[in-house]
Amino acid sequence: MDQQTAFRRAEKQYKVRDGLLDWSTVIDLSASSHTEGVHELCLAHDLCSPPALPFQLFTRTRPRAFTIDGHPGLIIIPNPFTDEAQRWLARKCLCDCTKPPNRTNLDPFFELPSTSLFTLASESNDTTRPQCLIDSRVLSDSFDSTVTKPKDTFYSQPASPQALLDRLRWCTLGWQYNWTTKLYDLGVSEFDPELNELMQAIAVAITNPTREAANSCNDNTYDGTQYESHAGIINYYDERATMAGHVDKTEENMDAPLISFNIGLDCVYLIGGTTRDTVPTPVLLRSGDVLAMCGESRLAYHGVPKILANTSPACLTDLDAGNNDVVAAV
């Protein structure tokens, strides 16, 4: 007898090799015609670029937005970003946000420098520069005794920036999440102010949207002008990575929307219900897509069972992309 939950069965279903994935069951919001149960939303407020940024973040002030039957409060905006904004976000996530005092999954095991691993790895390609190794702290006095020592000997010896970058899985922003206590350490570091302005702009835009066939709806009644980012997490995925189904429920303000965006490779995203027994809906998220879990969907199980190889947009992969960007890489 199958004892697996509906969410777990879906995770296994969409974790298969690309050639075996049944795309007919996956909602693709970029398709010209949408699946039954997908509803377009009319945003009641403009999506405005923060005035402090010297370039335009968004291609339109009123981008298209959608919700899906069975998931009240779920709002998805297919890529509203300019190409330059996507590159800016990628640099933020890879360079700025991985620096101290923000923490990564590597911090307990290595003496990470103030320069980002991505920057150091890029510099290591220059053969005229001395090659650097980053010391392990596992066998030193600086190792936290409350942390379990990894069995993998990789963590017990110096490693190159590129080798560490390959093992970077997450970093936490602002209030730092304690994975042992499942609580936030308040006041540890400031949330990136530019990212906060971006999140505030999205929160305002998705306040009180209306459906095409109705004058009003309750997909999100939270007042976006009150939105303030205190904590966040950046997950880094390679082509084999997944994110297990979970609920985010330790935030201080559970009424505020949970806002996320995807940069880089496309993925299959599962959005379920308040228990693992609810059959989740698979949605294809592309680079730049914004997803907000508001209202009832705020406590829904969600996860990423599948990353799609070779799907990053040209604006992120072309060698000449970004040569004329206002904001240069750090």
Side-chain angles (χ1 to χ4, degrees):
M1 184 175 179
D2 186 3
Q3 298 295 320
Q4 293 182 336
T5 65
F7 201 100
R8 180 57 183 149
R9 285 194 295 271
E11 286 178 316
K12 295 180 69 175
Q13 176 183 352
Y14 293 102
K15 197 176 180 180
V16 298
R17 295 194 301 272
D18 291 351
L20 300 177
L21 202 154
D22 181 5
W23 286 106
S24 68
T25 61
V26 181
I27 294 175
D28 182 359
L29 294 175
S30 67
S32 56
S33 59
H34 296 121
T35 308
E36 182 180 354
V38 174
H39 303 279
E40 186 152 4
L41 297 173
C42 298
L43 299 182
H45 306 276
D46 287 347
L47 182 58
C48 300
S49 292
L53 290 177
F55 61 93
Q56 283 296 315
L57 276 179
F58 307 113
T59 57
R60 300 170 60 186
T61 55
R62 294 289 178 97
R64 300 184 75 183
F66 300 89
T67 191
I68 301 171
D69 279 350
H71 306 287
L74 177 70
I75 301 174
I76 303 175
I77 304 176
N79 182 23
F81 296 107
T82 62
D83 288 352
E84 183 169 1
Q86 284 210 50
R87 290 189 290 270
W88 173 75
L89 283 168
R91 294 181 189 120
K92 275 280 184 188
C93 294
L94 289 168
C95 299
D96 295 352
C97 294
T98 54
K99 297 176 184 177
N102 293 333
R103 298 173 187 163
T104 75
N105 61 295
L106 298 172
D107 275 274
F109 312 112
F110 292 94
E111 301 281 358
L112 296 183
S114 57
T115 304
S116 75
L117 291 176
F118 188 81
T119 301
L120 291 174
S122 300
E123 291 175 350
S124 67
N125 294 325
D126 184 352
T127 56
T128 64
R129 291 175 176 266
Q131 301 300 298
C132 72
L133 291 176
I134 296 172
D135 290 333
S136 167
R137 64 168 84 230
V138 172
L139 301 180
S140 71
D141 293 337
S142 64
F143 184 70
D144 185 348
S145 60
T146 64
V147 175
T148 302
K149 288 188 177 181
K151 294 180 180 179
D152 189 343
T153 57
F154 170 86
Y155 294 92
S156 301
Q157 55 195 349
S160 69
Q162 183 60 59
L164 291 181
L165 196 60
D166 291 341
R167 298 195 180 217
L168 182 65
R169 296 294 177 263
W170 52 260
C171 77
T172 46
L173 316 178
W175 295 350
Q176 299 294 299
Y177 189 70
N178 187 315
W179 297 92
T180 301
T181 64
K182 307 299 183 185
L183 298 172
Y184 286 97
D185 296 333
L186 307 185
V188 172
S189 64
E190 179 187 15
F191 192 93
D192 184 287
E194 292 177 331
L195 287 181
N196 180 48
E197 289 185 341
L198 165 60
M199 294 302 184
Q200 288 175 331
I202 295 171
V204 169
I206 63 174
T207 300
N208 290 319
T210 58
R211 299 198 182 194
E212 282 190 321
N215 293 323
S216 64
C217 66
N218 62 352
D219 286 295
N220 178 33
T221 58
Y222 183 83
D223 181 1
T225 62
Q226 303 301 308
Y227 193 92
E228 186 76 22
S229 303
H230 294 295
I233 181 168
I234 301 172
N235 293 302
Y236 302 93
Y237 299 93
D238 61 23
E239 296 168 357
R240 300 161 296 175
T242 62
M243 180 174 69
H246 66 285
V247 175
D248 296 285
K249 55 185 178 182
T250 56
E251 286 68 39
E252 187 176 72
N253 183 357
M254 295 299 295
D255 294 325
L258 186 67
I259 301 173
S260 60
F261 52 81
N262 179 47
I263 296 294
L265 297 171
D266 299 349
C267 70
V268 175
Y269 182 93
L270 295 179
I271 177 72
T274 54
T275 75
R276 295 181 187 271
D277 296 322
T278 301
V279 177
T281 300
V283 182
L284 177 63
L285 294 184
R286 302 183 186 277
S287 186
D289 288 356
V290 176
L291 184 145
M293 298 168 64
C294 319
E296 291 183 41
S297 76
R298 176 61 182 80
L299 288 173
Y301 277 87
H302 56 283
V304 178
K306 183 70 176 177
I307 303 294
L308 303 174
N310 304 314
T311 54
S312 288
C315 68
L316 297 179
T317 58
D318 284 358
L319 294 179
D320 293 331
N323 285 349
N324 298 317
D325 285 358
V326 174
V327 181
V330 178

